[in-house]
Structures are given as C-alpha cells and as structure tokens.
Amino acid sequence: QVQLVESGGGLVQAGGSLRLSCAASGITFSINAMGWYRQAPGKQRELVATITRSGRTNYADSVKGRFTISRDNAKNTVYLQMNSLKPEDTAVYYCNVKRGWDNYDYWGQGTQVTVSS
C-alpha cells in the first residue's frame, strides 16, 4: 500500500502563487509516474500534470507556462508550483501515484485550491 499526504492548498488572489506537495509513504519502491489532477464542482476530474521517474513531464494545455511539476525521488515527493493563478484554477487538487508493473493508481485525499478574482 502507498499512502499519500498532500499539503499546500489554500485561498489566493488571481495572479498569485501556491505550491502543492505530496509525500508518499508505505510501499514506495517501484513508484513510476507521479502527478496532479483536479476536480472543480460539477466537473469531471482532469489531468493537470504528470512526471515520470526519469523526469519527463506532461501538462494540460490550460496550465502550460504557469504550472511546474517536479519530484524528489529520494523523498518520494511530488510538487506542483502554480503561478499566475486564475479563478478557473479553483478546484480540489489530487495527488496521484502509479506503482508497479501494472501502474496501479493511488490517490491522495485532495487539497482545496481557491482563486479569488
């Protein structure tokens, strides 16, 4: 099992910045991709950004140039630096980890990000 603990959400004005962190514990060997997803009220959960163990990244078009994902493999932690935040970035952000030969999904409990206009 893998446990994920997220931190760093909160309320920020448009144009501001936040940094999310997600630390994995438990059976952490064979962790492959790590990433962030978000879900706004009334909408489906969507991919924000992912990063492979080797550091290859992928971003949703809506956040390219504003968000940066990174990871520390030694600490089994993934980060999401969010700059130039917009009200439409308001959502619950979920950490995701894929582990093992079958890339089994593990999810964090979610952290609220609210951007006021």
Side-chain angles (χ1 to χ4, degrees), residues 7-74:
S7 61
L11 173 64
V12 65
Q13 287 188 331
S17 298
L18 284 174
R19 188 190 193 211
L20 305 183
S21 299
C22 173
S25 62
I27 304 175
T28 56
F29 65 90
S30 296
I31 286 179
N32 301 319
M34 305 179 82
W36 293 92
Y37 292 70
R38 67 187 181 187
Q39 188 167 18
K43 294 188 177 181
Q44 289 189 331
R45 190 173 298 188
E46 63 177 4
L47 178 147
V48 176
T50 60
I51 183 168
T52 66
R53 189 167 186 84
S54 62
R56 187 172 70 250
T57 59
N58 179 50
Y59 294 93
D61 288 343
S62 59
V63 307
K64 283 181 181 176
R66 299 188 297 122
F67 291 10
T68 302
I69 189 170
S70 60
R71 66 188 280 176
D72 185 331
N73 290 330

